[in-house]
Amino acid sequence: METPDTPENATEPVAPAAGEHTGIAAQDWATASADPQYRAAVVDLLGALAYGELAAFERLAEDAKLAPTLDDKAALAKMAAAEFQHFQRLRDRLEAIDAPPTAAMEPFAAGVDEFHRLTAPSDWLEGLVKAYVGDSIASDFYREVAARLDSDTRALVLAVLDDTGHASFAVEKVRAAIEAEPRVGGRLALWARRLMGEALSQAQRVVADRDALSTMLVGGVADGFDLAEVGKMFSRITEAHTKRMAALGLAA
């Protein structure tokens, strides 16, 4: 029997190797930030990430209340603490570049909150699938952006996107639940497809609503962002999602 893809070997968008970086991506922050449009894009990006990490902390803390065992509750609490540490790193970085963290996060708060409102899980398993699918799609999106960042900012973004352990935890628990009750798989597959649509919509809004960020994302196109390039990016994210669905034991 073929071994399913796991979080460790699932396809993910990958940033170029160090020697392949060109343009701003080959510069450090001190050099790249001399461009005011680039600086505005980075503030947007760090603000979006910071609020996303803060929301992830809150959500994981809430999900811990649904945990069926004390061990599961403790595991989620540990992951929530890791998300808050990521938030703190981003907040500290914003302060270090003289960008008030609250002002940087505010443009993204309503969109992130609306996503979580529309995708509130009804039980423990839906919460696990949401964290695995939704967070992974967001991480893939930000990794795509990271490939266009200066070396200092890129290192920070990739560090805060590190998995807190939720991926393997979710896969283990969801696959065990499906094995114990196969009918659960159909419900969770429908839920994951809904999450996919909502998560992609949120990422697209971030690109479309913030001019500096969208311009940077497509490599500095000055007359509006290149829809073909953005389409390719979202195709890569969709392919990675399909791999993760297989890791969960669900049909994409």
Side-chain angles (χ1 to χ4, degrees):
M1 178 172 143
E2 186 177 343
T3 302
D5 287 304
T6 65
E8 290 72 25
N9 62 26
T11 300
E12 293 183 356
V14 178
E20 299 174 5
H21 291 301
T22 60
I24 285 179
Q27 300 173 10
D28 60 13
W29 169 252
T31 304
S33 62
D35 179 347
Q37 185 177 47
Y38 176 75
R39 186 184 187 284
V42 169
V43 171
D44 274 351
L45 176 67
L46 297 183
L49 267 172
Y51 192 77
E53 293 291 343
L54 183 60
F57 158 72
E58 292 176 325
R59 190 195 65 241
L60 285 170
E62 284 296 311
D63 287 351
K65 297 177 183 178
L66 300 174
T69 70
L70 284 176
D71 284 344
D72 292 336
K73 187 185 293 288
L76 284 184
K78 181 179 179 180
M79 294 171 204
E83 298 289 7
F84 192 76
Q85 289 176 352
H86 289 168
F87 161 73
Q88 289 179 309
R89 290 188 65 179
L90 291 161
R91 181 192 61 193
D92 291 347
R93 179 60 175 165
L94 284 164
E95 291 177 342
I97 62 173
D98 298 321
T102 299
M105 291 188 289
E106 279 178 341
F108 307 98
V112 172
D113 290 347
E114 179 68 1
F115 169 75
H116 288 304
R117 185 188 70 81
L118 293 172
T119 58
S122 63
D123 62 19
W124 160 250
L125 290 174
E126 285 189 2
L128 289 178
V129 172
K130 177 181 175 179
Y132 180 53
V133 172
D135 289 356
S136 295
I137 291 170
S139 293
D140 286 347
F141 169 68
Y142 288 119
R143 285 190 182 96
E144 291 276 355
V145 179
R148 294 161 172 80
L149 298 174
D150 66 272
S151 58
D152 298 319
T153 306
R154 183 170 62 248
L156 171 63
V157 169
L158 294 177
V160 300
L161 292 177
D162 278 349
D163 178 38
T164 60
H166 210 144
S168 57
F169 182 80
V171 168
E172 176 188 350
K173 298 297 181 180
V174 171
R175 291 186 72 90
I178 294 172
E179 184 176 347
E181 188 178 348
R183 289 179 299 177
V184 168
R187 173 172 68 85
L188 294 180
L190 289 173
W191 173 242
R193 283 195 284 274
R194 178 183 168 192
L195 291 167
M196 173 69 171
E198 294 289 353
L200 285 180
S201 293
Q202 184 191 21
Q204 288 164 348
R205 283 194 295 271
V206 170
V207 174
D209 292 348
R210 309 300 293 180
D211 291 341
L213 190 56
S214 64
T215 299
M216 181 187 68
L217 183 61
V218 296
V221 177
D223 56 349
F225 61 90
D226 185 338
L227 292 176
E229 177 66 19
V230 173
K232 291 176 184 177
M233 177 188 72
F234 284 113
S235 292
R236 291 191 292 270
I237 292 173
T238 300
E239 290 170 6
H241 167 74
T242 301
K243 289 284 190 178
R244 292 192 185 97
M245 290 289 282
L248 284 173
L250 302 173

